[in-house]
Amino acid sequence: MATQHTSSALPAPARSAAHPMAKPGYGKRSAPDQQARSRHDFALLPARERYVAGFVDHLPEGAAMSVKALAKQLPLYGQQAISTSLTSLSVAGHLRRVRCAVGVGDETRWAFRTFWSRTARDNDWWNAYLATEDAGAARPAPGVTASSTAAPPPPWVPAEDPPAPALSGGPQGAATPESPEPSHADAAPGPAEPAETTAPTSVPHQRTPAEPPHPAPAPGPAQSSAPPSDPTPPTAPHSPAYLALARLGRTDRRLALSADDCAVLESAAAAWFARGVDADYLTAALTAGLPERVDSPVGFVRRRLTDKIPPRLPAEQALPDAPARRVLVECTDCGAPGRPEALPDGLCRPCRAAHHSGAAASPACTAETAGGARDIEAYVAGLRDLLKAP
C-alpha cells in the first residue's frame, strides 16, 4: 500500500504562460515621456478597451502585438473584439502601428512595430515623433564603416611570410635546406620508418615545385615545335539587339534569321533598346500576329522594326528634396500604409468614416426607436378612438 505524504503547505499556483515575444526588431515599442503608472490610467475608456490597454501597457519591449497573439492571452475576448479595441485605442491616441525599413542597399526589408504610449497623444505629437523616428532610421548607425562591416579573413589562411619550421635533429641556428624532400636516388631501399608525431604548426606558403626536365624526344620523324593554332579565333560578344534577333527563329520558326541577317538588322533593333525596351518586348512585338507563311523573314522583320518602333519616353527625374520615407504608418484596422499626416488617429479615410459612423449609431438608433414607439402608440390610440365612434 502506498504511503501518502501530507503537507500543510499550500500547493503552488499554476503559472500562466509567458506572453510570446516578436522577432528582433518587431513588436512593441514604448514612446518616450510617458506619465508614471497610476490607478487612474485609462479611466475614461470603456471597460473592454481599459482591460486591453492595461494588459498591453504591462507587456515588455519587443512583445508580439498581433491580434492573434493578444487574443490567446486574453481569454475574455476574441480576435474581433481585440481588433476593435486596438482601433479604439488608436483613435484615443495610445498606439500607432508602423512599418520601418531595416537594412541598407539591396538587403532592405520591412519591420512591423507598434508604438505604445500610456499617455494619450494627439495627432500632431504622433506626427512629430514618427518624423523623428524616420530621420533616425535613415541615418546610419554610429561607428559603422565599410572597414568594420568587412568580413574577416577565414581562420585557415596562413599569416604573411611565416617562419620555416626548424629541424628537430639539427642544432639551433643551423640553416635549413631549401629542398623539402631528399632525392629519391640517394634514399637507401628498406622499410619505411614511421614519422614522428609533432605539434601542429602554422602552414607555410606553398612553393611551386620546379618543373621536371622534359624527356628526350624519341627517335623518329621531325616534329614541329610550334603549338597548334586554334582554327576558330575567339569572337567578340554580341550585343543584346543581335542576340534578340538570333532568338527569333527559336521563338517562331517563320522568323528564322541567318547570321548575316542579324548583323544587317542589328542597328535597327538597337534603336529599340535605346528607347528603353528589353528583349522580351522586342520579341513580342515582332512575333505578334504573324501570317501563316513568311517568304522573306529578313524583309518582314526589317519592316516591323521600322513601323512598330516604340515612342521615346522622357526620362523620369526624381526630386532631390524628397527622400524616401523609411517609416510608414499603417491603418490600425485594415493595415493600409501611408504617411502619418494622411492617417489621423491611425486610421485611413474609409476606416475612420466607418468608425465614427459606428460610434454615433447607438444614440441615434435609441432616439429613432423611442420616436418610432411613440408614433405606434399614437397610431393605436387613434384606431381605438375610431372604433369607439358610432
Side-chain angles (χ1 to χ4, degrees), residues 122-373:
D122 55 3
N123 294 321
D124 295 337
W125 189 94
W126 279 114
N127 295 342
Y129 173 68
L130 294 177
T132 305
E133 288 289 323
D134 189 13
R139 191 182 309 115
V144 178
T145 59
S147 59
S148 62
T149 57
W156 58 83
V157 176
E160 293 293 334
D161 297 335
L167 297 178
S168 58
Q172 296 182 358
T176 59
E178 288 294 326
S179 59
E181 296 179 359
S183 175
H184 292 284
D186 299 339
E193 297 179 0
E196 296 179 1
T197 304
T198 58
T201 58
S202 60
V203 181
H205 287 291
Q206 302 296 329
R207 298 184 178 88
T208 305
E211 296 182 359
H214 296 284
Q223 298 178 356
S224 176
S225 60
S229 60
D230 190 1
T232 57
T235 58
H238 296 291
S239 64
Y242 183 96
L243 296 177
L245 293 173
R247 294 191 183 98
L248 284 177
R250 293 170 173 82
T251 304
D252 196 311
R253 295 182 180 180
R254 290 171 289 182
L255 296 183
L257 301 176
S258 64
D260 295 338
D261 296 340
C262 294
V264 171
L265 300 176
E266 183 178 1
S267 59
W272 286 53
F273 283 87
R275 301 196 176 193
V277 302
D278 54 1
D280 295 337
Y281 184 93
L282 176 64
T283 303
L286 295 179
T287 58
L290 292 178
E292 296 182 0
R293 181 180 177 181
V294 178
D295 296 330
S296 176
V298 59
F300 185 86
V301 173
R302 180 188 292 110
R303 183 61 182 268
R304 285 207 166 184
L305 287 175
T306 305
D307 295 345
K308 289 192 172 185
I309 186 169
R312 189 183 302 275
L313 299 178
E316 298 180 0
Q317 298 180 356
L319 298 178
D321 297 334
R325 298 189 63 88
R326 300 181 64 88
V327 175
L328 296 177
V329 180
E330 283 191 346
C331 177
T332 310
D333 195 1
C334 66
R339 299 172 60 90
E341 298 81 4
L343 277 77
D345 299 335
L347 299 176
C348 62
R349 182 178 300 177
C351 296
R352 186 168 62 253
H355 177 77
H356 290 299
S357 61
S362 54
C365 291
T366 304
E368 183 179 357
T369 303

Side-chain angles (χ1 to χ4, degrees), residues 40-54:
H40 303 291
D41 291 338
F42 318 114
L44 301 179
L45 298 175
R48 183 180 64 187
E49 282 71 15
R50 184 167 62 249
Y51 180 79
V52 175

